């Protein structure tokens, strides 16, 4: 593996364009070569920054360069690329979105909210009124004990990711926790439509949030709970965020006073999720970090990019992390994180070989 990494490092940066370096990152990650993928990703970031400096009047190049600068958390480059973008297209919605993201990453929360260019819909006004100045605890689907849930009772709003209100979600103890809001990805939204009565399953919630418009799902709306599409973070170099960082961005945008994440370690443990999260049978344990389980995640999300984004927000005290996630994001380097995910994959592969599974 080290030979491949060294060979990719030795390649001239202009051999590929930015998108092709990122495509190579995808190919390598898909095949479990995470360290080599990281090298390719860093080549893409370096090239994007270089091209941004060389092309101060080309919007698309500057947008990619600005996202690369946000990825590196380099304020000097952020200011340079954003300044050039505002010179050539100050009123463009996508530029104004990125400008607001820059304010967020600089820790200027009120300016970030004021500069967000999209007028609030009726549903957004309702959610903003609901969450403004409130504390929010976001509980992820990681593999954990119920002790993690005790601390979340002190928050005004308790968010669960892809909550399905079924027997397989054995992490929920009604005596220990409450659930006010859930965020569904597209897969979970489709799954919930197969329930006999989706409204019945959602009666305990105040809000049901989604990431993609789904007319069939949204027709289940009633007076007890509201369905709303969240605002997505536009500053990622490529791909979308996982549900948890996407949710925290939306909470911050809509005025929450405090956001803390529990029970999420972003694939850095030997088990990625609690039993039943992806299965309908809670006793089925196929959630170990097999490569085929991680491939769909890497196909849709940039694991390193979102770690960097949350690290920046945590370092500026904009978000809080539980002990495990704090270790992963604040104490580990990017390479350490990749090595841990990779080691878990290799360990599982060896165990499968031993048992012939």
């Amino acid at each position: 593996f080290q030979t491949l990494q060294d060979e990719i490092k030795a390649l001239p940066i202009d051999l590929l364009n930015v998108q092709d370096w990122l495509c190579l990152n995808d190919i390598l990650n898909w095949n479990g070569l995470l360290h080599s993928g990281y090298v390719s990703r860093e080549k893409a970031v370096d090239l994007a920054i270089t091209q941004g400096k060389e092309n101060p009047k080309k919007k698309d190049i500057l947008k990619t360069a600005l996202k690369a600068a946000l990825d590196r958390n380099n304020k000097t480059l952020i200011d340079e690329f954003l300044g050039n973008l505002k010179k050539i297209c100050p009123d463009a919605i996508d530029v104004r979105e990125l400008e607001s993201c820059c304010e967020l990453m600089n820790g200027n929360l009120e300016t970030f909210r004021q500069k967000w260019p999209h007028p609030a819909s009726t549903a957004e006004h309702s959610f903003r009124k609901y969450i403004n100045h409130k504390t929010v605890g976001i509980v992820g689907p990681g593999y954990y004990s119920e002790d993690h849930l005790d601390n979340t009772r002190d928050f005004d709003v308790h968010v669960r990711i892809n909550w399905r209100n079924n027997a397989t979600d054995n992490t929920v103890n009604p005596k220990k926790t409450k659930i006010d809001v859930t965020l569904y990805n597209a897969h979970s939204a489709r799954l919930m439509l197969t329930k006999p009565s989706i409204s019945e399953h959602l009666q305990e919630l105040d809000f049901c949030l989604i990431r993609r418009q789904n007319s069939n799902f949204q027709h289940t709306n009633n007076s007890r709970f509201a369905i709303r599409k969240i605002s997505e973070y536009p500053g990622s170099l490529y791909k979308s965020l996982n549900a948890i960082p996407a949710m925290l961005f939306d909470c911050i945008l809509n005025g929450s006073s405090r956001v803390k994440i529990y029970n999420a370690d972003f694939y850095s443990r030997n088990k990625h999720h609690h039993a039943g999260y992806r299965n309908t049978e809670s006793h089925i344990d196929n959630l170990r970090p097999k490569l085929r389980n991680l491939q769909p995640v890497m196909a849709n999300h940039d694991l390193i990019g979102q770690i960097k984004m949350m690290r920046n927000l945590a370092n500026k005290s904009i978000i809080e992390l539980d002990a495990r996630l704090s270790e992963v994001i604040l104490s580990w380097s990017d390479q350490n994180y990749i090595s841990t995910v990779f080691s878990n994959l290799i360990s599982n592969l060896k165990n499968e070989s031993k048992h012939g599974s």
Side-chain angles (χ1 to χ4, degrees):
F1 296 140
Q2 186 61 49
T3 301
L4 179 59
Q5 293 174 54
D6 293 341
E7 288 180 350
I8 295 174
K9 283 180 183 177
L11 293 174
I13 195 172
D14 57 356
L15 178 67
L16 302 174
N17 61 37
V18 172
Q19 293 306 316
D20 285 342
W21 280 118
L22 293 174
C23 183
L24 180 59
N25 170 53
D26 287 339
I27 293 169
L28 293 165
N29 285 344
W30 185 266
N31 289 282
L33 302 171
L34 307 187
H35 295 90
S36 298
Y38 177 76
V39 173
S40 181
R41 185 190 185 281
E42 290 303 290
K43 290 265 191 183
V45 175
D46 289 337
L47 181 58
I49 289 171
T50 298
Q51 290 180 340
K53 291 177 179 179
E54 294 173 349
N55 297 275
K57 295 183 179 181
K58 293 186 177 180
K59 179 184 175 183
D60 288 342
I61 290 176
L62 284 171
K63 281 178 57 181
T64 303
L66 178 54
K67 291 176 182 181
L70 285 167
D71 188 80
R72 290 276 170 86
N73 193 26
N74 186 316
K75 189 175 186 306
T76 300
L77 291 176
I78 289 170
D79 291 344
E80 176 184 342
F81 297 143
L82 178 61
N84 288 335
L85 276 169
K86 290 172 69 176
K87 286 178 186 176
I88 59 177
C89 43
D91 298 323
I93 291 293
D94 52 353
V95 173
R96 292 167 60 198
E97 284 180 342
L98 287 172
E99 182 181 15
S100 70
C101 286
C102 294
E103 296 292 348
L104 170 63
M105 292 305 168
N106 284 330
N108 305 320
L109 297 188
E110 288 309 312
T111 308
F112 155 60
R113 291 161 183 151
Q114 291 166 6
K115 289 193 173 184
W116 185 249
H118 301 284
S121 65
T122 301
E124 285 165 337
H125 273 300
S126 178
F127 185 71
R128 193 164 296 174
K129 183 179 179 181
Y130 171 79
I131 208 169
N132 192 37
H133 300 304
K134 289 184 179 178
T135 60
V136 180
I138 301 175
V139 179
Y143 194 87
Y144 65 101
S145 70
E146 284 187 357
D147 293 340
H148 286 81
L149 297 178
D150 291 338
N151 295 325
T152 64
R153 289 180 295 176
D154 298 330
F155 288 84
D156 299 323
V157 177
H158 181 115
V159 179
R160 299 276 301 189
I161 301 300
N162 293 317
W163 182 61
R164 294 169 187 170
N165 190 18
N166 59 25
T168 65
D169 194 351
N170 58 8
T171 60
V172 177
N173 183 334
K175 296 178 181 178
K176 286 195 173 185
T177 187
K178 62 174 183 172
I179 300 172
D180 303 305
V181 176
T182 190
L183 171 63
Y184 287 134
N185 59 22
H187 169 73
S188 290
R190 290 192 299 269
L191 179 66
M192 290 301 290
L193 285 172
T194 67
K195 300 286 185 181
S197 173
I198 187 172
S199 296
E200 183 180 335
H201 285 280
L202 301 176
Q203 285 302 316
E204 299 176 34
L205 303 176
D206 295 328
F207 275 86
C208 173
L209 306 177
I210 57 176
R211 300 190 69 178
R212 292 183 186 175
Q213 297 291 356
N214 185 320
S215 58
N216 291 329
F217 190 87
Q218 287 165 279
H219 286 159
T220 64
N221 209 356
N222 67 17
S223 59
R224 176 61 188 89
F225 62 91
I227 295 178
R228 168 186 166 263
K229 182 179 178 295
I230 66 169
S231 297
E232 295 279 356
Y233 174 67
S236 296
L237 180 64
Y238 80 135
K239 301 188 179 182
S240 65
L241 298 174
N242 273 109
I244 291 171
M247 184 73 236
L248 68 86
F249 173 80
D250 192 67
C251 288
I252 296 167
L253 176 62
N254 285 288
S256 58
S257 60
R258 177 190 176 201
V259 181
K260 184 167 183 175
I261 304 171
Y262 290 90
N263 191 47
D265 46 44
F266 294 90
Y267 315 102
S268 63
R269 284 188 190 269
N270 279 327
K271 289 190 177 182
H272 293 161
H273 306 109
H274 62 71
Y277 179 68
R278 292 201 181 279
N279 294 301
T280 56
E281 302 288 341
S282 60
H283 66 278
I284 296 177
D285 177 16
N286 67 353
L287 301 179
R288 292 188 181 278
K290 300 174 182 176
L291 180 58
R292 62 179 174 271
N293 290 336
L294 200 56
Q295 283 171 334
V297 176
M298 294 187 295
N300 291 291
H301 308 294
D302 176 15
L303 299 187
I304 286 295
Q306 62 190 18
I307 291 288
K308 288 171 177 282
M309 178 250 203
M310 289 185 289
R311 181 183 296 140
N312 189 19
L313 294 176
N315 280 330
K316 290 185 169 60
S317 300
I318 296 172
I319 62 172
E320 300 172 39
L321 314 169
D322 70 10
R324 168 63 181 179
L325 189 55
S326 181
E327 178 188 7
V328 172
I329 289 183
L330 299 180
S331 297
W332 293 2
S333 66
D334 294 341
Q335 293 87 345
N336 192 354
Y337 170 72
I338 290 169
S339 294
T340 303
V341 177
F342 178 76
S343 295
N344 289 337
L345 291 173
I346 294 299
S347 174
N348 184 254
L349 182 62
K350 288 178 179 177
N351 287 335
E352 283 190 332
S353 298
K354 259 186 218 178
H355 296 91
S357 56

